[in-house]
Amino acid sequence: MNLLDIKDPQFLKDLSFKELNELAEEIRSFLIENIAKTGGHLASNLGVVELTLAIHRVFNSPVDRIVFDVGHQSYIHKILTGRAKDFKTLRKFEGLSGYQKRKESVHDHWEAGHSSTAIAAISGFEVSRKENGEVYKNIAVVGDGSLNSGLSFEALNFLGHSGLQPIIVLNDNDRSISKNVGRLNKLLNKMRSSKFYAFAKKSKRKWPKFFYGLKVRLANTIRGFANNFTIFDELGFSYYGPIDGHDIKALIKFLEIAKNKNKPIVLHVVTTKGKGYEHSENDQFGTWHGVKPFDVETGKPITQNKENMTSWSNIISNYIFQRAKLNEQLKVIVPAMIIGSGFSEFQEKYPEKIIDVGICEAFSVCFSAALSEKYDVFLPIYSSFLQRAYDQIVHDLTRQDLKIVIGIDRAGIVGADGDTHQGIYDIAFLKHIPNIEIIQPSNAVEAWQLLDYAFNHTNHSVAIRYSKNKINVYQMEKYKPIDKPTWLSYDHHGFVNLIAYGDNFTRMKKYIDNNQLKINLYNALFIKPMDETVLKDIVNSQLTTYVLEDVTKISGLGSSILEFLSDNDLKLDLKIIGLPDEFIDHGSQEEIYKKYHLDEESIIKKILG
Ligand SMILES: Cc1ncc(C[n+]2csc(CCOP(=O)(O)OP(=O)(O)O)c2C)c(N)n1
């Protein structure tokens, strides 16, 4: 069938099991072919093809509400709800989002991008459904990795005693991005290999629906007598599973049982992440979770890394690697992003010095704060995921003036993941908290200088920001120790000043140098505290001064300078160039910069007129 012709999932009701299986294979080929061109979350989607088909066969979307946790595995749902034709634009500027999006379709009732919100979301839907006397089903599809988070557990705790009828489909592939971690994972492993799974598999024989339901109930009762209740039973759910997540027939049977129950249900579905494409199915590390465009034959990325360029994450993890060689008391705490944060090699070399806590950002900060009593702690975490841990930064870390170094990765505009992942709020939500410093290098040498500062020259916690961009490894600069808040100045005999930090400083310096523009430049290595000596020089110059930042303009470095002027009764013609008070959609960094006039040409036009 032509997937591009699909308008809505109704047609699935008329397909035979054979046709459903054929459709599953067509969808797999479509996903591989398209994601090879656009990039995207390949492995997670290949794992839920049959599951998504079965859900849409049994339930009636959009009346029934299907919420995919994170939403990164909702591509099949998009295909079945009439969006296959837009896949060429997946994750591109003004194109199809990589997650569920309400403005895209009436079949998307909830939006995410961060994990572990789906069960909480359907909790809200369930209460309003019940109180408004409506008849429909709320289904949350949640991965085993996302189940680890406190937010998922808070929702399970609520729903289990609520008298509501949510259906939670636990998509258990034994993986988060990398190998899943923790005791819950062990528990699921045990359940996955239990006899009950064999029962589900054996049940391929034709059973009338009534007998089938009876058989399941009987098995559950026996399980209860044997005192073999699962954690979900204990939490107040009726648990069914494990179910073979690639057996459409078994899935449909169990989903129908779930649909007809008026109780909270957990369906434990076992899937293979990356199923049906050799490279992703055999992936042991998680490199196929989210991919850049690749060659379908070889599995190799289409664009190779430029020579001498590497990611900021690698620069930072390399420093920590060197530090670990000398420091017995170093611990790296990672909330589920070992690969993305550049710590795979570190984990191989120093397994005892690194702890992956799973998708538990709030826990990671509280835990690190307590560890800091005896250890030097480095906590790499993406800017947008750190949002989850705001209270732990205030309440547990800085209020007690404990010291860790937080590596804020993916700071600034991140591109294809869009509004849920933009790293544009961390300065705003950190800078007003006492006892934490915020720094950002603009090249590899500064990264080492600033990390040395963070570990050796301050007693407070430090957040070091770095972006998703690639940078030059061998930028030849002399290492100069930094032992206090420092801004670097570049006097170009200009009639105007520009203050920037991080990659924005680097690109503007390059542009200004190449075009020999008369703009004095300042590299604000410290966003908080600021270098007040250089700042006073800037005020004394009385030249119009621009501050450039690719974060929200509200409460960035620019507004700190305005506060400094106000506190010290100083006057300066200061203008802030940054992002407006709105969520920033997906698109390449260049496209987003252009849209918000943050590209080099627009900035210079603004400054020089
Ligand atoms: C709060 C938060 N932290 C980290 C991530 C990054 N992330 C996206 S998907 C994912 C793994 C999810 O694993 P699982 O729920 O098992 O889904 P799977 O992809 O294996 O189907 C992670 C860590 C995120 N989206 N949100």
Side-chain angles (χ1 to χ4, degrees):
M1 89 178 287
N2 189 349
L3 302 183
L4 306 187
D5 293 338
I6 297 174
K7 299 268 178 305
D8 66 50
Q10 274 308 310
F11 75 101
L12 291 174
K13 316 277 179 217
D14 303 323
L15 298 190
S16 66
F17 289 128
K18 183 167 169 283
E19 286 167 330
L20 283 168
N21 279 313
E22 283 165 6
L23 179 59
E25 286 322 303
E26 278 176 53
I27 290 179
R28 279 214 166 81
S29 307
F30 178 90
L31 288 172
I32 296 164
E33 198 185 305
N34 277 278
I35 299 172
K37 290 185 193 128
T38 56
H41 286 103
L42 182 70
S44 311
N45 281 287
L46 289 179
V48 295
V49 178
E50 288 83 4
L51 178 59
T52 313
L53 284 171
I55 292 174
H56 273 292
R57 157 75 166 242
V58 171
F59 295 96
N60 290 315
S61 177
V63 177
D64 295 323
R65 299 176 166 208
I66 308 162
V67 178
F68 289 88
D69 199 88
V70 187
H72 65 308
Q73 75 292 51
S74 65
Y75 295 5
I76 301 101
H77 164 80
K78 290 190 188 233
I79 293 170
L80 296 176
T81 53
R83 287 173 267 179
K85 59 183 179 325
D86 301 321
F87 263 71
K88 353 179 227 327
T89 70
L90 182 72
R91 291 158 56 89
K92 302 209 175 308
F93 188 60
E94 294 180 347
L96 201 63
S97 163
Y99 303 92
Q100 282 186 293
K101 270 272 172 272
R102 289 194 293 176
K103 70 176 176 207
E104 262 179 27
S105 169
V106 292
H107 295 270
D108 291 5
H109 294 275
W110 191 253
E111 296 184 3
H114 290 196
S115 86
S116 317
T117 60
I119 310 178
I122 69 160
S123 303
F125 290 159
E126 268 296 284
V127 170
S128 26
R129 181 195 57 72
K130 186 177 175 196
E131 296 198 352
N132 289 288
E134 289 169 332
V135 183
Y136 66 89
K137 288 288 177 183
N138 287 303
I139 303 110
V141 182
V142 186
D144 54 307
S146 302
L147 193 68
N148 282 343
S149 157
L151 189 47
S152 290
F153 271 90
E154 288 161 38
L156 286 175
N157 187 39
F158 170 81
L159 282 174
H161 79 120
S162 62
L164 300 166
Q165 305 162 11
I167 297 173
I168 294 162
V169 177
L170 169 58
N171 169 32
D172 179 5
N173 55 23
D174 192 23
R175 304 198 69 81
S176 186
I177 290 180
S178 317
K179 177 89 190 74
N180 202 1
V181 295
R183 180 69 200 179
L184 183 65
N185 177 250
K186 288 222 164 63
L187 202 63
L188 292 179
N189 269 329
K190 213 163 117 192
M191 289 156 70
R192 217 180 288 132
S193 52
S194 74
K195 282 201 186 109
F196 200 48
Y197 183 45
F199 154 74
K201 281 201 144 174
K202 253 190 257 151
S203 63
K204 279 188 178 161
R205 270 181 294 140
K206 277 211 168 80
W207 285 84
K209 245 193 208 153
F210 167 73
F211 281 122
Y212 197 77
L214 206 67
K215 195 173 162 188
V216 170
R217 273 209 297 282
L218 190 67
N220 271 347
T221 315
I222 294 167
R223 207 155 41 88
F225 279 139
N227 209 5
N228 205 8
F229 279 130
T230 66
I231 183 174
F232 303 109
D233 296 291
E234 302 288 0
L235 279 166
F237 289 79
S238 291
Y239 165 88
Y240 295 96
I243 302 155
D244 180 348
H246 302 294
D247 180 344
I248 294 196
K249 207 166 164 184
L251 284 168
I252 290 176
K253 272 184 181 160
F254 277 101
L255 285 162
E256 262 165 7
I257 291 171
K259 184 178 175 178
N260 294 319
K261 286 264 170 206
N262 294 326
K263 289 163 117 186
I265 303 279
V266 168
L267 277 192
H268 182 187
V269 174
V270 176
T271 60
T272 303
K273 195 158 179 169
K275 174 109 178 142
Y277 180 57
E278 195 192 342
H279 298 288
S280 56
E281 195 167 331
N282 296 332
D283 175 18
Q284 293 304 307
F285 304 102
T287 36
W288 283 89
H289 172 86
V291 287
K292 296 223 164 68
F294 62 94
D295 180 284
V296 176
E297 282 295 307
T298 61
K300 296 245 157 58
I302 284 170
T303 44
Q304 297 299 330
N305 279 348
K306 284 195 200 133
E307 223 181 306
N308 296 343
M309 300 295 274
T310 192
S311 67
W312 271 109
S313 312
N314 283 341
I315 297 280
I316 302 292
S317 66
N318 196 13
Y319 172 94
I320 301 295
F321 204 99
Q322 301 310 322
R323 206 170 172 90
K325 284 186 188 163
L326 310 170
N327 186 351
E328 283 299 306
Q329 295 302 100
L330 182 93
K331 288 266 187 248
V332 178
I333 308 304
V334 189
M337 304 302 288
I338 298 254
I339 299 184
S341 303
F343 276 87
S344 310
E345 259 180 61
F346 186 98
Q347 191 181 35
E348 258 173 53
K349 174 87 178 160
Y350 297 115
E352 73 292 353
K353 290 188 195 239
I354 184 164
I355 304 175
D356 179 352
V357 296
I359 313 177
C360 302
E361 288 82 4
F363 171 82
S364 75
V365 171
C366 191
F367 174 60
S368 301
L371 263 180
S372 70
E373 192 184 54
K374 288 272 179 349
Y375 292 92
D376 285 350
V377 180
F378 184 69
L379 170 65
I381 187 166
Y382 289 15
S383 166
S384 75
F385 303 153
L386 186 62
Q387 289 162 197
R388 281 271 162 96
Y390 177 71
D391 186 47
Q392 276 52 59
I393 295 170
V394 180
H395 176 267
D396 300 298
L397 182 69
T398 54
R399 198 180 48 80
Q400 303 188 77
D401 204 0
L402 297 171
K403 178 183 168 171
I404 67 169
V405 179
I406 305 175
I408 303 192
D409 203 334
R410 287 6 181 220
I413 295 296
V414 295
D417 277 318
D419 56 357
T420 52
H421 285 61
Q422 306 291 11
I424 60 176
Y425 303 111
D426 59 88
I427 293 179
F429 71 71
L430 289 177
K431 78 166 203 182
H432 55 246
I433 306 173
N435 300 335
I436 188 160
E437 302 181 12
I438 311 168
I439 56 183
Q440 184 161 359
S442 73
N443 60 49
V445 178
E446 286 171 10
W448 282 61
Q449 293 170 178
L450 287 179
L451 280 161
D452 276 348
Y453 167 85
F455 280 104
N456 303 334
H457 294 287
T458 174
N459 296 323
H460 299 303
S461 277
V462 177
I464 178 163
R465 306 180 80 240
Y466 42 97
S467 77
K468 197 183 179 182
N469 297 336
K470 297 260 186 298
I471 62 157
N472 193 325
V473 201
Y474 299 111
Q475 194 153 2
M476 289 304 170
E477 280 187 39
K478 221 168 150 254
Y479 177 99
K480 286 187 225 111
I482 291 178
D483 57 7
K484 60 177 188 342
T486 304
W487 288 9
L488 306 173
S489 43
Y490 300 80
D491 185 355
H492 291 146
H493 309 295
F495 299 102
V496 64
N497 299 322
L498 174 63
I499 304 171
Y501 48 88
D503 298 351
N504 282 321
F505 170 80
T506 308
R507 69 185 172 113
M508 291 318 294
K509 179 157 189 327
K510 195 166 161 202
Y511 191 93
I512 287 168
D513 286 349
N514 286 349
N515 293 288
Q516 298 184 353
L517 301 174
K518 285 196 170 300
I519 299 173
N520 306 320
L521 256 175
Y522 295 88
N523 180 4
L525 295 172
F526 281 69
I527 296 161
K528 184 200 168 182
M530 298 182 290
D531 181 340
E532 295 194 1
T533 313
V534 174
L535 193 48
K536 279 182 184 140
D537 289 346
I538 293 172
V539 176
N540 287 339
S541 78
Q542 280 303 300
L543 297 175
T544 297
T545 300
Y546 290 81
V547 183
L548 168 66
E549 32 199 351
D550 67 344
V551 298
T552 174
K553 259 204 288 200
I554 300 173
S555 220
L557 176 66
S559 75
S560 291
I561 299 174
L562 287 174
E563 286 152 21
F564 172 84
L565 296 173
S566 158
D567 287 348
N568 294 285
D569 216 3
L570 295 168
K571 291 210 167 23
L572 181 69
D573 182 18
L574 190 83
K575 300 192 181 342
I576 304 170
I577 305 173
L579 289 164
D581 185 19
E582 65 188 68
F583 287 103
I584 311 294
D585 260 336
H586 54 280
S588 71
Q589 199 180 63
E590 295 75 53
E591 286 159 335
I592 300 294
Y593 280 169
K594 265 236 141 36
K595 175 170 176 186
Y596 292 99
H597 311 295
L598 291 179
D599 58 297
E600 287 92 312
E601 284 79 14
S602 304
I603 291 165
I604 294 302
K605 205 164 149 208
K606 194 171 270 174
I607 295 176
L608 296 181

